[in-house]
Each structure stands twice: as C-alpha cells, then as structure tokens.
Amino acid sequence: MSKTWLITRREYLTRVRNRTFLLSTFLFPLVIILFIVGSVMIATQTHTRHHIAVIDANGYFKDYLKSDSSLSFDFSPGTDTLNYEQKGCSAVLIIPLLPEDSLTIYRLKFKKQLGLASMGDLENRINNAITDHLIYEKTSISKGRLDTLRQRSRIAQIRSYEDNGKTAKASNQGASSAIGYVCAILIYILTFVYGAMVMRGVMEEKTNRIAEVVVSSVKPFQLMMGKITGIGAVGLTQFLLWVVLLGGLAIIGQGLIPAGTWREVQQLQQASAMGDTGAASRMSEAANRIYGFKSAVGASNLGLILFCFLFYFIGGYLFYSALFAAVGSAVNEDPQEAQSLMMPITLPIVFSFFIATVVVQDPGSSLAVWASIIPFSSPIVMMARIPFGVPGTVPWWQLGLSMLSLVLGFLGTVWLAGKIYRTGILMYGKKASWKIMWKWAFRR
C-alpha cells in the first residue's frame, strides 16, 4: 500500500507542478465564460430575416399573413418564379386554390435553404391563415375582432413544479437541460483527457524502459493503481479549483451590477411570490435576465448535483482509465497501434454522449433509465438526468443502482486491466491485439 501511495504522490506532484496544469486550470474558467457569451451572441445576432414573395391563387392570404422580424411577405403582382431574386426576395411561395377538407401541396422555390425553423414557422403561419379565413367566412366575426381575440388569448404562462408528495418544488426545464448538457460534456471531455493521460504515461514508461526498473521493486498492479489514482487526483484538484475560480468570478460579477438593477430584481422576487405576473414588463431587461438566472439556479439542487458530479467523474474516470492503462501497457512504440486498440474504449464514451444529448430532451424515457444504469454510459447519461430532479425524474433506487453498478464495473475493469497490465508492461516487440490481451487477462 505504501508503494502505491509513493507512486500516486509522484504522479500527482509531477503533473501539478507542470506549467501546462497551471495554465489550463486558470484559463479554463475564462474559456467557459467566453464560450457562453459567444454562444449567446451568436444565437441572438445571427438571425436572418427572410423576404418571401407570395403568388396566391386564392386572393385572401395577404389579409392574414403578417410580416415580422423573422419573415416578411411580398404580394406584389409582378413577382414570379423567374424574377423573385431581382425583386429582393429569398424565396417564392406558390399557393394554389385550397379546397376545404383536403390536403393541398403548396410549393416554396428558393436558391438557398431557409432552415428548418423558418420552414416550420412558415407552414404554421399558412395553416393559421387558413383557419382565420375559415372562421371569418363561416361566422359573423370581423377580421379586426378576430385579430383582437388572438392577441387577448395569448395570456397563458406555464410554470412547472416538481411533485414531491406533500410539497411541490419549482422547476425550470430550460435550466435543467442546460445544466445536464454541461455536466455531460464535462465528464465526456475529462474522461477522455485524463484517460489518455494515463495511457500516455504508461506508454512513456514502457518505451523508456523505466517500467522494467520500477517493476523490480513494486508489483505491476501497484504501479498501475498508483498511476491511475495519481492522475485522478490531479483531475479532482483541477475541477475543485475551477469551482472556486468560477465562484469567485460570479461574486465579482455581482459586485459590478448597479444597485438599482438589484433593487428591481428584489421587486421581481416579491412580485413573483405575490403572483403579480405583470411586474416583469415594468422592470429593465437586465433585471429580468438576472432574475431569470437566479430563479433557474434556485430551482436546481446544486449541492446534490455537485456531489453526484464528483462521484460520477471519479467513478467514470476509474472505470475507463484502467482500460486506457491496459492499452498503454500493450502498445510498443507505434501510435497507430494505440489508436486501433483504443477504438473499443472510445466508442462507448462517444456513444454515451450522443445518448445524453437525447436524454436532456426526455430524461424519463426507457433509454435514459437503462443508459444511466449501465456502467459504460452511466457517468455521462446519469449526469444529464440528475438536474431534472431527484427523486422526481430520477428515483432514489435508480440513482443507487446506477452508483452500485458503476462501482462494480470499476472493480471489474481494474481486475481485467491488472491482468493485462502485468503481462503487457514487460512485453516488447510483439504487436498486441484485443484477442491477445484477452488471453493475457485469463492466463493463470
């Protein structure tokens, strides 16, 4: 045990004192902030307004299709499918005579795709225009009255609450999806980064013949575990420093917000508690955004999320780093050989992340439940589900079973990797494959 501790200590101190570790630790929070700000700016400032020419055989769509900031409509009679670009339009919509109670195909001609969102918006507007026209034709209601009713009917605002039996807790679906996605992508990246670090460390010691000297005084399993735990401690240290730095930047950012804006945020909190839904329109945009962010954070169980993140980060790292160490011990000096042996390890990680992107859309599905229990995918998928609520979306038994299966999976991969490592670390000149490594694992 003392020898494993010495190897762990050496691996930890060697990497923590490295300049790359210090730079990545202090620059990562800034990169995250720039990424978030850049994503928001791209999402809000890259919106394209499409100008669409309309050829209407019915003659009434111009009364119902209204232009706005995303779509504008041109009903000029001189525009057709040949000259719509010269008229400054990005597409031309051809609407034939629409009979009642039957599906009719209308055509949209363009040189550049409008995008899925714009196509869906356009189809909804056409269907709404047909509905408005039928209401106007079949009833005695006027067009002005119809528009007024539509505006007055848009008063519904859904607030979601997690049912915990005798109590109900406010929930924010958007914040839960964002937190789940961020947690999943962080574990995905960190598992790859530190797992590859373990593999490179084992390969370097093997190719430099250092392992031969070390193995003469310690067991191969002790050497492998020392390297895994040492690099894992580096990753844990780095993550905790990121939490502290991001928390410090958040406190500094709060100090830069004007006092008047904070007062408006407090007024919004009081108005929300009293059920005043019209208070948001009387406050500044900055106050509304800060209030929305605070509400989203307050609705999340950050303590449980942080604890589970640490557990699944450590568990996922230990589960996969043992396999990375086994691959590193089997490789000689050819990087191509390492890439081919890594494929069976990297595929489950990549596939788990793809599952997580689906899970944040439906965290209670059967796919989400089983993928969050199987140890190959649970570190990433379960962290995508937990922000949606425990024990609501994720019952306690699912969380406990997931943790237990990950611990058992880690013990299994460590046992398997240890069997491969003890043979592969001293094997030179022979190209390894998973078939050969499998024989090493079950050799008596």
Side-chain angles (χ1 to χ4, degrees), residues 226-388:
K227 187 171 290 293
I228 290 174
T229 53
I231 296 176
V234 172
L236 187 60
T237 302
Q238 195 167 47
F239 172 74
L240 294 176
L241 287 174
W242 287 341
V243 172
V244 173
L245 288 173
L246 289 173
L249 291 174
I251 294 173
I252 294 172
Q254 288 183 3
L256 300 176
I257 298 174
T261 303
W262 277 119
R263 284 194 295 270
E264 290 184 348
V265 173
Q266 293 173 356
Q267 293 174 11
L268 283 170
Q269 291 174 334
Q270 295 172 358
S272 177
M274 297 173 62
D276 183 4
T277 58
S281 61
R282 301 192 297 270
M283 304 300 172
S284 64
E285 183 179 357
N288 279 288
R289 289 184 177 180
I290 295 171
Y291 170 71
F293 178 77
K294 289 190 67 177
S295 299
V297 172
S300 304
N301 191 344
L302 293 182
L304 178 63
I305 292 173
L306 183 60
F307 168 77
C308 290
F309 185 92
L310 290 175
F311 176 85
Y312 281 102
F313 163 64
I314 295 172
Y317 163 77
L318 293 175
F319 182 88
Y320 280 104
S321 62
L323 298 177
F324 277 110
V327 169
S329 68
V331 174
N332 291 306
E333 298 180 2
D334 187 5
Q336 298 294 330
E337 184 181 351
Q339 292 179 4
S340 63
L341 292 176
M342 281 177 59
M343 186 64 67
I345 304 174
T346 57
L347 280 179
I349 303 176
V350 175
F351 190 57
S352 299
F353 179 70
F354 283 130
I355 294 176
T357 60
V358 178
V359 165
V360 294
Q361 306 297 327
D362 186 7
S365 64
S366 299
L367 173 64
V369 172
W370 288 108
S372 62
I373 293 175
I374 298 172
F376 283 95
S377 56
S378 62
I380 296 175
V381 177
M382 182 56 88
M383 279 314 305
R385 297 182 65 207
I386 288 175
F388 288 91

Side-chain angles (χ1 to χ4, degrees), residues 166-245:
K166 295 182 179 180
T167 61
K169 179 183 175 184
S171 177
N172 189 307
Q173 300 282 41
S176 299
S177 298
I179 295 172
Y181 186 82
V182 169
C183 290
I185 197 171
L186 279 177
I187 291 186
Y188 169 76
I189 293 173
L190 294 176
T191 301
F192 261 128
V193 169
Y194 292 109
M197 194 180 294
V198 170
M199 187 186 69
R200 286 197 302 270
V202 173
M203 289 175 61
E204 289 173 2
E205 290 183 354
K206 181 178 179 179
T207 54
N208 294 332
R209 303 281 175 157
I210 298 174
E212 294 181 6
V213 178
V214 177
V215 168
S216 63
S217 57
V218 300
K219 295 179 179 179
F221 183 79
Q222 292 177 319
L223 177 61
M224 183 189 76
M225 286 305 301
K227 187 171 290 293
I228 290 174
T229 53
I231 296 176
V234 172
L236 187 60
T237 302
Q238 195 167 47
F239 172 74
L240 294 176
L241 287 174
W242 287 341
V243 172
V244 173
L245 288 173

Side-chain angles (χ1 to χ4, degrees), residues 404-425:
L404 177 62
S405 65
L406 183 58
V407 171
L408 294 177
F410 156 62
L411 295 176
T413 56
V414 167
W415 176 84
L416 181 66
K419 294 279 191 177
I420 298 172
Y421 190 92
R422 68 180 182 180
T423 303
I425 196 67

